[in-house]
Amino acid sequence: MNRDVKNDNNKDAMNNGKIDEKRRDVLKLMAVGAAITSIPLVDKEKLMKVLKPVKLEGMLDYPLGGPSDSQSALEKRAKKKEAKLKKWCQKEARKVCEKYGESSEECKLVKQKCKLLVVKATPPKKGVRYAMALDLNKCIGCRRCVYACVMENNQARNLHIEWIRVLEANRMEFQDLLGSQWYYKEGPKKDKVYIPIACMHCEKPPCVMVCPVRATFKEPDGIVVIDYDRCIGCRYCEVACPYGARRFNWKKPYIPVLELNPNMHILGNVPRQIHVMEKCTWCIQRTRDGGVPACVEVCPVGARVFGNLNDPNSPIRRIAEEYGLFVLKPDAGTHPKFFYFFGPARTPPREGAASTSKEAQNGGGSK
Amino acid sequence: MSWKDWWDTFVIIIKDGFKGSKRYYLAMVGLTLIFLYGFYLWFFIQHAPVFLHTDYGGLALTGMNDSDPWGLYIAFFIYWVGVAAAGIAFGVAAYIFQDKELLKIAVLGEVQAVAALIIVLALVGFADLGRPIRAMFELPFLPNLHSMLDWDFIVISTYLTINLVAVYVTIHYYRQDKPLPKKFIIPYIVLAAPFAIGIHTVTGFIFQALRARPIWNTSLLAPSFVATALAAGPAMVLLAIYLAERYIDGFSVSAEMYKKIIYIIAGGLIVGLYFTFSDAQEIFWYTTEPMKWAQARNLFYGLHLPYLAVLEWIWISFAVAAVLLSFIPSTHRSKGAMAFIAILTIIAVTSEKTLATLVPGFTPSTLGEIRPYHPTPIEYGIALGVHALGIMIYLWLARPAIKAVMTHYFKPGIKTATVPENSAH
């Protein structure tokens, strides 16, 4: 009966030259429903192909983020910056010479600095993968690496920016950084372990992931750098970094020209501007020219080892084979390239082990 | 429907901003002064080194530091994104169900979204950002599609555009006493609904995917943002209607509509409270992550920052109170009581979705440092200025919108019919 009634209605509708909207809607819904329910029946391999994540990496020149500036553009920018800095340096030099006299040591030093001043844009070497390791048994928490880093990298003297933080932690649960502190005044203490922390130059850096303008990126040689001319100062990278490695210029940074390091890299220690982020670059101005970072050079106990992971003869590979390396917060999943290890000898030595300490300190460690 | 009509609508919206009672003028002048003071603090003091190349100033004047990189600005950014997202619930519901009472107030939700989003953009794009001019050029041309902040800018600016268009179209049709055309409504629903949920979800994603901040590292963060947004946004709309009824002659909404809004608020609060409860269970019973536990202790007990615990417990207690009050039948008869529930809800959500969400992630910070964050006067001043701007825009757009709605829905004949509903008051 019902059907007949419906048909009649339909006929009426047809006769009136109208379309039965309700019936159409039901049909549409049925079609959509059929399409949705048929999804599980689709060939799974085909579905996998459709659902394959789009690879953004291929669209960009660099694996993650990456600079939009080519090498030549970077060099041009470095040249411009150099000219600007030289002008500034000469202006400051005049002031210094007026203050101390033309023949003073300071005046000569400043003039030499202005002459030596260079802003490089050295590109990464091919086939190089830098890494650093630190002997927690040797580190005495003297903070000399921190001071060397400040001097080498032209860090603002008025903002107390230090790229390296040395944590003092208990020898029992040292990996639980919650109990550590970096405001210690005396050291080394026998029951403490000292953990210098700086940028870990992670393999999967969260800071690079979150930067909204690609101002920070990972270079092919493994160094994570910041383009200071592009940073917009949103501080998202600082929020995302699990190692607290990044520092922000909250005020206008100031460096006295007498303390300026004239050897600069455009992505490294060129004097910063206000409201930009900065962090450790493994002294890019030194390492790209074949040197080692300042902290490695200055360490009085030789706790730091720096080298090329791809080179089987590099010191870092030897350490890895000899002692094994570990990283802090491995659960963060960022795969740091800054490793820690416990070497064979301890400074200061354990109590009762004083007789062997000299041998150990000399780096022998042989039993 | 010529172009001239559209232009006339624009002129009417602009002109209406300058017409009004003495009270309106006073409010506008006061808000302008507050906004200008905030702008002065921002341009000539906080960002002076960027714009004027001075030696003084800088973000160092705020309470933020390398341990707490984000502060009051981002905290209120979270809150206003929520308010903006929920305003649309009315628009979409009204156009889908064609409920006449809902249609009357739908435009208020859209105006609220516009004002809230302008506060959001001013906070995150200008007040908080170190170098806003660079950002203006770089964000469109150098986007990093891995960054949730970029997605947030995309969804927020799109959503703002959608809502501006919606407000404009609504005023245009209603002021001529015409119903909204279908060719506007359908694209609007299809576009606005996902973006409304999207803006708050993406804001949640900014925070929740960070392994560095364990207390945010829960997949409940974005859903709980949406849940509390669905409480705070409608509460704001309810309060706006309540005030509009008092101050605009002839504008009235039935108590039934109030009741519907209270249902939405109660639902949002219950889900939000449930998420808080679920997070607390995860942290205090089984978590083996010392950092998460330390941060949660700061949040719930206020070990190093007592105000955090105060805010968190205000959220819990006020939200519970609002839910219980909304269950009592006698409150449904009084518009005043329902407005009170809305105020309770707004206080509860403002407490939680600002500093109580943000600051625990930074105390203790990633290396275990505890440096308590306290906002400084300059932060309060600039935040206040931004809010004054938002309220100004709200007043500016809401008045012509309500006027247009009244020409369409409150015709002299119908007006008397709505009066008896008021008697329940």
Side-chain angles (χ1 to χ4, degrees), chain B residues 1 6 95 98 169-170 172-174 176 178-188:
Chain B
M1 192 77 28
W6 289 97
Y95 300 137
Q98 289 291 320
V169 170
T170 314
H172 181 74
Y173 280 94
Y174 281 175
Q176 296 168 322
K178 286 178 192 159
L180 289 177
K182 234 183 180 177
K183 67 183 172 201
F184 158 71
I185 288 175
I186 290 169
Y188 173 72

mmCIF file of all heavy atoms in Angstrom, chain B residues 1 6 95 98 169-170 172-174 176 178-188:
data_model
loop_
_atom_site.group_PDB
_atom_site.id
_atom_site.type_symbol
_atom_site.label_atom_id
_atom_site.label_comp_id
_atom_site.label_asym_id
_atom_site.label_seq_id
_atom_site.Cartn_x
_atom_site.Cartn_y
_atom_site.Cartn_z
ATOM 1 N N MET B 1 20.470 44.128 -5.908
ATOM 2 C CA MET B 1 21.617 44.087 -4.977
ATOM 3 C C MET B 1 22.854 44.652 -5.679
ATOM 4 O O MET B 1 23.623 43.929 -6.296
ATOM 5 C CB MET B 1 21.864 42.627 -4.570
ATOM 6 C CG MET B 1 22.803 42.461 -3.426
ATOM 7 S SD MET B 1 22.214 42.781 -1.769
ATOM 8 C CE MET B 1 20.494 42.436 -1.794
ATOM 9 N N TRP B 6 26.229 47.514 -0.860
ATOM 10 C CA TRP B 6 27.328 46.974 -0.040
ATOM 11 C C TRP B 6 28.160 48.113 0.533
ATOM 12 O O TRP B 6 28.575 48.081 1.678
ATOM 13 C CB TRP B 6 28.205 46.040 -0.864
ATOM 14 C CG TRP B 6 27.523 44.762 -1.197
ATOM 15 C CD1 TRP B 6 26.883 44.456 -2.347
ATOM 16 C CD2 TRP B 6 27.392 43.619 -0.351
ATOM 17 N NE1 TRP B 6 26.354 43.201 -2.293
ATOM 18 C CE2 TRP B 6 26.656 42.662 -1.076
ATOM 19 C CE3 TRP B 6 27.811 43.318 0.942
ATOM 20 C CZ2 TRP B 6 26.342 41.420 -0.551
ATOM 21 C CZ3 TRP B 6 27.516 42.076 1.471
ATOM 22 C CH2 TRP B 6 26.779 41.141 0.726
ATOM 23 N N TYR B 95 22.360 28.412 11.906
ATOM 24 C CA TYR B 95 22.078 28.249 10.483
ATOM 25 C C TYR B 95 21.697 26.827 10.141
ATOM 26 O O TYR B 95 20.936 26.591 9.214
ATOM 27 C CB TYR B 95 23.276 28.700 9.649
ATOM 28 C CG TYR B 95 23.604 30.157 9.889
ATOM 29 C CD1 TYR B 95 24.922 30.582 10.043
ATOM 30 C CD2 TYR B 95 22.595 31.111 9.983
ATOM 31 C CE1 TYR B 95 25.220 31.912 10.287
ATOM 32 C CE2 TYR B 95 22.889 32.433 10.231
ATOM 33 C CZ TYR B 95 24.195 32.828 10.377
ATOM 34 O OH TYR B 95 24.474 34.128 10.627
ATOM 35 N N GLN B 98 18.139 26.497 12.042
ATOM 36 C CA GLN B 98 17.213 27.583 11.731
ATOM 37 C C GLN B 98 16.352 27.951 12.935
ATOM 38 O O GLN B 98 15.174 28.258 12.797
ATOM 39 C CB GLN B 98 16.344 27.212 10.519
ATOM 40 C CG GLN B 98 17.114 27.191 9.209
ATOM 41 C CD GLN B 98 17.568 28.553 8.747
ATOM 42 O OE1 GLN B 98 16.870 29.532 8.851
ATOM 43 N NE2 GLN B 98 18.792 28.628 8.240
ATOM 44 N N VAL B 169 28.162 40.524 6.048
ATOM 45 C CA VAL B 169 27.010 40.041 5.263
ATOM 46 C C VAL B 169 25.745 40.065 6.105
ATOM 47 O O VAL B 169 24.678 40.475 5.634
ATOM 48 C CB VAL B 169 27.301 38.613 4.734
ATOM 49 C CG1 VAL B 169 26.049 37.995 4.135
ATOM 50 C CG2 VAL B 169 28.422 38.647 3.716
ATOM 51 N N THR B 170 25.886 39.629 7.379
ATOM 52 C CA THR B 170 24.705 39.605 8.244
ATOM 53 C C THR B 170 24.123 41.003 8.404
ATOM 54 O O THR B 170 22.916 41.206 8.267
ATOM 55 C CB THR B 170 25.089 39.046 9.627
ATOM 56 O OG1 THR B 170 25.874 37.890 9.435
ATOM 57 C CG2 THR B 170 23.866 38.691 10.423
ATOM 58 N N HIS B 172 24.510 43.477 6.448
ATOM 59 C CA HIS B 172 24.024 43.954 5.160
ATOM 60 C C HIS B 172 22.605 43.469 4.872
ATOM 61 O O HIS B 172 21.743 44.240 4.461
ATOM 62 C CB HIS B 172 24.976 43.482 4.068
ATOM 63 C CG HIS B 172 24.579 43.930 2.701
ATOM 64 N ND1 HIS B 172 24.744 45.225 2.285
ATOM 65 C CD2 HIS B 172 24.012 43.268 1.673
ATOM 66 C CE1 HIS B 172 24.307 45.333 1.060
ATOM 67 N NE2 HIS B 172 23.853 44.170 0.656
ATOM 68 N N TYR B 173 22.347 42.170 5.120
ATOM 69 C CA TYR B 173 21.024 41.642 4.782
ATOM 70 C C TYR B 173 19.988 42.037 5.811
ATOM 71 O O TYR B 173 18.871 42.404 5.466
ATOM 72 C CB TYR B 173 21.082 40.121 4.611
ATOM 73 C CG TYR B 173 21.612 39.739 3.256
ATOM 74 C CD1 TYR B 173 22.947 39.466 3.062
ATOM 75 C CD2 TYR B 173 20.750 39.701 2.158
ATOM 76 C CE1 TYR B 173 23.439 39.153 1.821
ATOM 77 C CE2 TYR B 173 21.231 39.386 0.905
ATOM 78 C CZ TYR B 173 22.570 39.104 0.740
ATOM 79 O OH TYR B 173 23.037 38.795 -0.493
ATOM 80 N N TYR B 174 20.371 41.934 7.080
ATOM 81 C CA TYR B 174 19.380 42.191 8.119
ATOM 82 C C TYR B 174 18.953 43.654 8.145
ATOM 83 O O TYR B 174 17.813 43.963 8.446
ATOM 84 C CB TYR B 174 19.934 41.785 9.491
ATOM 85 C CG TYR B 174 19.882 40.295 9.739
ATOM 86 C CD1 TYR B 174 20.428 39.755 10.887
ATOM 87 C CD2 TYR B 174 19.281 39.442 8.826
ATOM 88 C CE1 TYR B 174 20.392 38.391 11.123
ATOM 89 C CE2 TYR B 174 19.246 38.087 9.046
ATOM 90 C CZ TYR B 174 19.800 37.553 10.205
ATOM 91 O OH TYR B 174 19.761 36.223 10.434
ATOM 92 N N GLN B 176 18.449 45.489 5.740
ATOM 93 C CA GLN B 176 17.453 45.691 4.689
ATOM 94 C C GLN B 176 16.231 44.816 4.910
ATOM 95 O O GLN B 176 15.387 44.685 4.037
ATOM 96 C CB GLN B 176 18.056 45.362 3.330
ATOM 97 C CG GLN B 176 19.191 46.297 2.957
ATOM 98 C CD GLN B 176 19.959 45.799 1.773
ATOM 99 O OE1 GLN B 176 20.183 44.601 1.636
ATOM 100 N NE2 GLN B 176 20.375 46.702 0.911
ATOM 101 N N LYS B 178 16.054 41.531 5.114
ATOM 102 C CA LYS B 178 16.009 40.348 4.236
ATOM 103 C C LYS B 178 16.636 39.184 4.994
ATOM 104 O O LYS B 178 17.564 39.391 5.773
ATOM 105 C CB LYS B 178 16.853 40.595 2.986
ATOM 106 C CG LYS B 178 16.220 41.540 2.000
ATOM 107 C CD LYS B 178 17.172 41.736 0.862
ATOM 108 C CE LYS B 178 16.757 42.883 -0.029
ATOM 109 N NZ LYS B 178 17.855 43.393 -0.822
ATOM 110 N N PRO B 179 16.174 37.955 4.779
ATOM 111 C CA PRO B 179 16.847 36.814 5.405
ATOM 112 C C PRO B 179 18.193 36.557 4.731
ATOM 113 O O PRO B 179 18.422 36.991 3.591
ATOM 114 C CB PRO B 179 15.867 35.662 5.164
ATOM 115 C CG PRO B 179 15.103 36.073 3.957
ATOM 116 C CD PRO B 179 15.020 37.566 3.971
ATOM 117 N N LEU B 180 19.068 35.859 5.438
ATOM 118 C CA LEU B 180 20.385 35.565 4.855
ATOM 119 C C LEU B 180 20.221 34.596 3.699
ATOM 120 O O LEU B 180 19.479 33.612 3.809
ATOM 121 C CB LEU B 180 21.294 34.949 5.913
ATOM 122 C CG LEU B 180 21.751 35.906 6.999
ATOM 123 C CD1 LEU B 180 22.587 35.159 8.026
ATOM 124 C CD2 LEU B 180 22.579 37.029 6.404
ATOM 125 N N PRO B 181 20.898 34.830 2.575
ATOM 126 C CA PRO B 181 20.748 33.921 1.428
ATOM 127 C C PRO B 181 21.474 32.600 1.662
ATOM 128 O O PRO B 181 22.447 32.531 2.396
ATOM 129 C CB PRO B 181 21.404 34.701 0.293
ATOM 130 C CG PRO B 181 22.381 35.586 0.973
ATOM 131 C CD PRO B 181 21.809 35.926 2.297
ATOM 132 N N LYS B 182 20.967 31.559 1.020
ATOM 133 C CA LYS B 182 21.544 30.229 1.195
ATOM 134 C C LYS B 182 22.967 30.162 0.660
ATOM 135 O O LYS B 182 23.810 29.443 1.175
ATOM 136 C CB LYS B 182 20.677 29.201 0.471
ATOM 137 C CG LYS B 182 20.256 28.088 1.404
ATOM 138 C CD LYS B 182 19.474 27.036 0.673
ATOM 139 C CE LYS B 182 19.052 25.928 1.625
ATOM 140 N NZ LYS B 182 18.235 24.938 0.994
ATOM 141 N N LYS B 183 23.231 30.937 -0.403
ATOM 142 C CA LYS B 183 24.575 30.867 -1.001
ATOM 143 C C LYS B 183 25.634 31.464 -0.075
ATOM 144 O O LYS B 183 26.820 31.287 -0.292
ATOM 145 C CB LYS B 183 24.601 31.555 -2.370
ATOM 146 C CG LYS B 183 24.404 33.036 -2.305
ATOM 147 C CD LYS B 183 24.373 33.627 -3.694
ATOM 148 C CE LYS B 183 23.983 35.089 -3.616
ATOM 149 N NZ LYS B 183 23.474 35.653 -4.824
ATOM 150 N N PHE B 184 25.173 32.170 0.980
ATOM 151 C CA PHE B 184 26.125 32.577 2.005
ATOM 152 C C PHE B 184 26.204 31.540 3.108
ATOM 153 O O PHE B 184 27.282 31.156 3.556
ATOM 154 C CB PHE B 184 25.734 33.935 2.585
ATOM 155 C CG PHE B 184 26.304 34.188 3.947
ATOM 156 C CD1 PHE B 184 27.670 34.429 4.093
ATOM 157 C CD2 PHE B 184 25.509 34.152 5.084
ATOM 158 C CE1 PHE B 184 28.209 34.635 5.341
ATOM 159 C CE2 PHE B 184 26.053 34.360 6.336
ATOM 160 C CZ PHE B 184 27.409 34.602 6.459
ATOM 161 N N ILE B 185 25.039 31.049 3.538
ATOM 162 C CA ILE B 185 24.985 30.202 4.729
ATOM 163 C C ILE B 185 25.757 28.902 4.541
ATOM 164 O O ILE B 185 26.549 28.504 5.394
ATOM 165 C CB ILE B 185 23.514 29.893 5.105
ATOM 166 C CG1 ILE B 185 22.880 31.154 5.679
ATOM 167 C CG2 ILE B 185 23.439 28.785 6.123
ATOM 168 C CD1 ILE B 185 21.421 31.010 5.975
ATOM 169 N N ILE B 186 25.575 28.253 3.397
ATOM 170 C CA ILE B 186 26.181 26.923 3.248
ATOM 171 C C ILE B 186 27.711 26.993 3.219
ATOM 172 O O ILE B 186 28.370 26.298 3.990
ATOM 173 C CB ILE B 186 25.588 26.197 2.024
ATOM 174 C CG1 ILE B 186 24.137 25.839 2.360
ATOM 175 C CG2 ILE B 186 26.379 24.939 1.694
ATOM 176 C CD1 ILE B 186 23.341 25.359 1.194
ATOM 177 N N PRO B 187 28.295 27.858 2.388
ATOM 178 C CA PRO B 187 29.765 27.941 2.449
ATOM 179 C C PRO B 187 30.261 28.373 3.824
ATOM 180 O O PRO B 187 31.296 27.916 4.289
ATOM 181 C CB PRO B 187 30.122 29.001 1.410
ATOM 182 C CG PRO B 187 28.919 29.261 0.630
ATOM 183 C CD PRO B 187 27.748 28.779 1.388
ATOM 184 N N TYR B 188 29.477 29.217 4.484
ATOM 185 C CA TYR B 188 29.894 29.689 5.801
ATOM 186 C C TYR B 188 29.968 28.537 6.786
ATOM 187 O O TYR B 188 30.963 28.369 7.492
ATOM 188 C CB TYR B 188 28.903 30.744 6.299
ATOM 189 C CG TYR B 188 29.148 31.167 7.711
ATOM 190 C CD1 TYR B 188 30.244 31.949 8.016
ATOM 191 C CD2 TYR B 188 28.313 30.752 8.735
ATOM 192 C CE1 TYR B 188 30.496 32.318 9.325
ATOM 193 C CE2 TYR B 188 28.561 31.123 10.034
ATOM 194 C CZ TYR B 188 29.644 31.902 10.325
ATOM 195 O OH TYR B 188 29.896 32.249 11.608
#
